[in-house]
Amino acid sequence: MTVLVTGGAGYIGSHTCVELLNAGHDIVVIDNFSNSHPEALKRVKEITGKTFHTYSIDILDEDGLARIFTEHEITAVIHFAGLKAVGESVSEPLWYYSNNVIGTILLCEVMKRNGVKNLVFSSSATVYGEPDTVPIPENSLLKTTNPYGRTKYMIEEILRDIHFADPEWSIALLRYFNPIGAHESGKIGEAPQGTPNNLLPYISQVAVGKLGELKVYGDDYQTHDGTGVRDYIHVIDLSLGHVKALEKVKSSKGVHTYNLGTGRGYSVLEMVKAFEKASGREISYTILGRRPGDIPVCFADTSKAFEELGWRAEREINKMCEDTWRWQRRNPEGYTSIETEKQTSLEKEPTKFFVTHKQEKVLNE
Ligand code: NAD
Ligand code: WQD
């Protein structure tokens, strides 16, 4: 089938593109590159030896989106495009609601007009807020605590309403826990802009010498070592979950909600130890107070995804750290070391990288 991947140049999107291509699907990628680099998609092509169309388009550009559906026979959409920084969402709520919520509404409008009603959506464990119990099952109370989380909650509700109004829609709501790791080739991985907010990118930048020391936010939680516990999942396992979810939406109409996690929690200090082992580098850290808004413990009940999708995460914590480290070591500046190269190419071939029209295809050769 031909799958439109929004936000396909991003961290999870690029890894999912690899697994979709490996599974024999055709893909069309759109991204506005606001938090990613076209180089990621070049590398997806290198890894898979397959080609696909990429468009530099914003999902808020309804006409641009519409033209994609005219140019390609899209069967299903996997919708990653969105802004994801919790702190930024608190200071810039309108930007987050506009980009994430309105963007999704416009995407669904265009899908509806084109009779495409299969959708896999990137939701988040953030919709559970501070859970009453762990492991967290999908039917837990939803109580988000920040604008980013509310965009995910609102979109979930909107998608449920769309299916209620027209049961021909088939939708998977995938609630990711904490994705880490990278493709084992070391060619693609997480490349945050600026100082990372999340734990693993921060640790790996300390290991590679870009950052001085890790700040551990709180050691007085009710956990075995006092630091926060999370369910870290390898991005490849997560990507394979999308391939399974796609099969599900194609074979069974409805709104299907799944946790994508491992079902196991690790503390901040356990992650530090695991990364030290994987990298052979010491990770120096200092203990600070709790980060506002953080919860003590979060891990998934993954039984529903296993029973209904036949999916479970296979890659354990050492593998997650080893793959993160390979990516970080080989790409200490993420994809931005390509900037110099890109600048040189721009001087030589101005049209190759310059998107003069929102719909111009990039990187298709
Ligand atoms: P990412 O920022 O690496 O990828 C998102 C991609 O969407 C980027 O390439 C960005 O340029 C693009 N994008 C953003 N707004 C766009 C717009 N208006 N039009 C077109 N493209 C746009 O993030 P990620 O970690 O790969 O996350 C993918 C999705 O999964 C997001 O929706 C995110 O909220 C969700 N999610 C991520 C995590 C996580 O910890 N990484 C956890 C749960 C859910
Ligand atoms: C993990 C643990 C921190 C950084 C966030 C979003 C969530 C989801 C995933 C998208 C916590 C501690 C962290 C650091 C630290 N994103 N920590 N020092 O907070 O579980 O989830 O990303 O949907 O919505 O809220 O992940 O990686 O930021 O933190 O001590 O420099 O590491 O306190 O205990 P989190 P995280």
Side-chain angles (χ1 to χ4, degrees):
M1 74 179 105
T2 302
V3 184
L4 174 64
V5 184
T6 77
Y11 171 45
I12 305 168
S14 55
H15 289 81
T16 303
C17 286
V18 169
E19 297 309 329
L20 288 167
L21 292 164
N22 285 345
H25 297 297
D26 291 323
I27 62 170
V28 175
V29 172
I30 63 172
D31 204 299
N32 67 358
F33 301 105
S34 59
N35 196 37
S36 55
H37 199 290
E39 176 66 16
L41 295 170
K42 274 192 168 178
R43 296 193 186 179
V44 168
K45 292 175 185 175
E46 270 172 44
I47 291 168
T48 59
K50 296 189 177 167
T51 190
F52 51 87
H53 290 288
T54 301
Y55 295 83
S56 177
I57 284 191
D58 197 299
I59 53 167
L60 292 168
D61 171 10
E62 195 174 350
D63 294 340
L65 280 178
R67 287 210 359 226
I68 302 294
F69 284 80
T70 314
E71 286 180 23
H72 300 275
E73 285 269 325
I74 306 291
T75 332
V77 177
I78 304 187
H79 178 32
F80 293 105
L83 299 167
K84 62 166 183 176
V86 171
E88 190 176 61
S89 79
V90 174
S91 53
E92 298 284 351
L94 285 172
W95 186 28
Y96 271 66
Y97 288 119
S98 163
N99 192 79
N100 293 5
V101 180
I102 297 178
T104 304
I105 291 172
L106 293 178
L107 174 67
C108 290
E109 286 278 6
V110 174
M111 289 174 67
K112 181 181 166 191
R113 281 207 299 275
N114 288 277
V116 178
K117 297 181 180 180
N118 299 311
L119 176 65
V120 176
F121 172 64
S122 298
S123 188
S124 168
T126 195
V127 296
Y128 298 119
E130 183 166 350
D132 295 329
T133 53
V134 283
I136 310 171
E138 285 84 351
N139 59 7
S140 297
L141 194 64
L142 304 184
K143 42 181 180 179
T144 53
T145 55
N146 56 69
Y148 165 69
R150 278 187 279 282
T151 69
K152 294 296 179 189
Y153 173 74
M154 286 177 191
I155 295 167
E156 285 201 3
E157 292 289 291
I158 291 166
L159 295 177
R160 282 189 199 95
D161 288 342
I162 291 175
H163 174 263
F164 184 79
D166 177 0
E168 285 300 305
W169 277 81
S170 196
I171 299 168
L173 307 175
L174 304 183
R175 294 178 180 156
Y176 314 155
F177 280 68
N178 290 58
I180 62 168
H183 191 267
E184 65 180 0
S185 64
K187 287 178 186 282
I188 56 172
E190 186 168 13
Q193 296 179 356
T195 307
N197 299 311
N198 297 118
L199 181 65
L200 252 285
Y202 205 107
I203 290 180
S204 60
Q205 292 196 14
V206 171
V208 86
K210 279 187 76 183
L211 293 171
E213 64 178 6
L214 173 69
K215 300 177 188 74
V216 175
Y217 297 130
D219 67 349
D220 57 351
Y221 288 109
Q222 291 291 312
T223 60
H224 66 277
D225 63 14
T227 64
V229 168
R230 297 290 185 275
D231 184 339
Y232 298 95
I233 174 169
H234 198 298
V235 67
I236 296 295
D237 281 324
L238 190 67
S239 300
L240 291 167
H242 288 71
V243 177
K244 292 287 190 184
L246 195 60
E247 288 165 14
K248 179 74 180 178
V249 296
K250 276 296 287 168
S251 62
S252 161
K253 291 186 179 33
V255 178
H256 312 284
T257 307
Y258 300 109
N259 285 338
L260 297 184
T262 64
R264 229 206 110 158
Y266 286 89
S267 73
V268 175
L269 293 181
E270 284 173 327
M271 295 309 289
V272 168
K273 288 277 159 292
F275 206 87
E276 284 181 333
K277 188 173 164 218
S279 63
R281 305 266 174 109
E282 188 189 340
I283 311 296
S284 49
Y285 65 85
T286 181
I287 309 272
L288 298 188
R290 296 181 180 192
R291 187 171 63 175
D294 267 357
I295 56 173
V297 180
C298 174
F299 55 93
D301 178 338
T302 59
S303 49
K304 187 170 176 223
F306 183 62
E307 281 155 25
E308 295 190 13
L309 300 179
W311 172 91
R312 75 152 59 103
E314 307 279 354
R315 291 159 181 79
E316 43 68 62
I317 211 74
N318 294 322
K319 170 80 174 149
M320 297 183 211
C321 292
E322 282 160 16
D323 289 344
T324 303
W325 176 235
R326 187 179 306 105
W327 153 257
Q328 183 67 69
R329 192 164 34 94
R330 292 191 187 169
N331 307 270
E333 303 300 328
Y335 298 108
T336 55
S337 50
I338 304 302
E339 289 302 327
T340 333
E341 242 174 70
K342 182 174 149 184
Q343 197 54 42
T344 318
S345 311
L346 263 173
E347 282 153 18
K348 284 194 216 138
E349 294 177 80
T351 52
K352 191 170 177 191
F353 287 96
F354 250 131
V355 179
T356 50
H357 185 280
K358 280 180 177 166
Q359 280 235 281
E360 188 170 349
K361 289 176 196 176
V362 291
L363 300 171
N364 287 333
E365 64 280 355

